[in-house]
């Protein structure tokens, strides 16, 4: 029974938030609790959001739709040990596959003309609501979103790796 409990705790779980910010939260409540978020210029707003807010202090960006949080993007910084579903900033791809097995969709930049794009990939744990962004085989950021959103994030900037 104790072994089963440890195995259950070790499994990845659906991620719905980060650092006290949850998907579905009202942006006014987020800003009340985290006043360092400032609204970004509309040119930086992603396709799935109508507004974006950035906290340089916490390296976090949130996307909103109808004034509710729909995405949470965390940018890793140097010596950062932030974790999402047991995957930490700086971890390599092996850790992702160890945690999620075959439940990972790997995508590369669609535009191969920029040499910088070759070293970047995303690893989508769709069922768990997390996209891991890797550069040169190291986690550089996380995006938390509903699984159906992450499922739809293919074909625009990212596509199956060749």
């Amino acid at each position: 029974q104790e072994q089963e409990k440890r195995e259950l705790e070790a499994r990845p779980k659906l991620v719905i938030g980060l650092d006290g910010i949850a998907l579905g939260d009202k942006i006014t409540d987020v800003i009340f609790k985290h006043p360092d978020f400032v609204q970004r210029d509309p040119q930086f707003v992603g396709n799935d959001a109508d507004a974006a807010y950035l906290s340089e202090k916490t390296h976090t960006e949130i996307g909103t739709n109808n004034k509710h949080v729909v995405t949470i993007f965390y940018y890793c910084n140097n010596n950062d040990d932030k974790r999402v579903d047991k995957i930490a900033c700086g971890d390599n791809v092996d850790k992702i596959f160890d945690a999620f097995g075959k439940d990972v969709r790997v995508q590369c930049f669609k535009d191969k003309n920029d040499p910088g794009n070759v070293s970047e990939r995303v690893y989508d744990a769709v069922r768990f609501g997390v996209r891991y962004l890797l550069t040169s085989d190291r986690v550089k950021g996380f995006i938390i979103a509903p699984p159906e959103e992450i499922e739809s994030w293919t074909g625009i900037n990212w596509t199956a790796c060749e």
Side-chain angles (χ1 to χ4, degrees):
Q1 180 138 352
E2 195 62 36
Q3 175 69 18
E4 283 180 33
K5 185 178 177 183
R6 279 194 301 273
E7 287 176 9
L8 187 60
E9 288 174 1
R11 289 184 190 161
K13 295 164 184 53
L14 178 65
V15 179
I16 59 167
L18 184 69
D19 295 337
I21 301 168
L23 298 175
D25 282 354
K26 288 188 214 172
I27 188 58
T28 52
D29 293 341
V30 172
I31 292 172
F32 178 74
K33 293 175 189 172
H34 308 273
D36 44 310
F37 277 98
V38 294
Q39 190 163 3
R40 297 202 70 189
D41 189 288
Q43 74 185 35
F44 296 108
V45 178
N47 294 336
D48 54 346
D50 58 20
Y53 298 81
L54 176 67
S55 167
E56 290 185 12
K57 178 182 170 189
T58 63
H59 309 278
T60 307
E61 181 175 324
I62 52 179
T64 62
N65 205 335
N66 295 321
K67 300 186 184 329
H68 288 81
V69 175
V70 293
T71 58
I72 304 167
F73 190 161
Y74 181 81
Y75 303 90
C76 299
N77 61 6
N78 294 337
N79 303 318
D80 196 340
D81 64 354
K82 177 72 70 192
R83 293 179 179 281
V84 174
D85 240 352
K86 302 191 185 343
I87 307 301
C89 290
D91 279 351
N92 67 18
V93 69
D94 294 337
K95 289 258 187 158
I96 294 171
F97 283 116
D98 287 347
F100 298 101
K102 295 180 182 178
D103 284 332
V104 177
R105 177 179 65 190
V106 183
Q107 297 189 93
C108 294
F109 258 120
K110 199 170 184 178
D111 176 11
K112 309 255 189 297
N113 293 329
D114 181 346
N117 291 351
V118 175
S119 65
E120 298 198 22
R121 291 185 177 181
V122 292
Y123 290 76
D124 297 333
V126 175
R127 285 186 6 188
F128 303 97
V130 183
R131 168 172 275 187
Y132 296 95
L133 300 118
L134 281 77
T135 302
S136 301
D137 195 33
R138 296 289 171 208
V139 174
K140 298 297 181 185
F142 316 102
I143 302 176
I144 298 166
E148 60 274 10
E149 283 296 316
I150 294 177
E151 180 68 38
S152 73
W153 294 347
T154 188
I156 300 169
N157 296 322
W158 301 94
T159 189
C161 298
E162 296 174 357

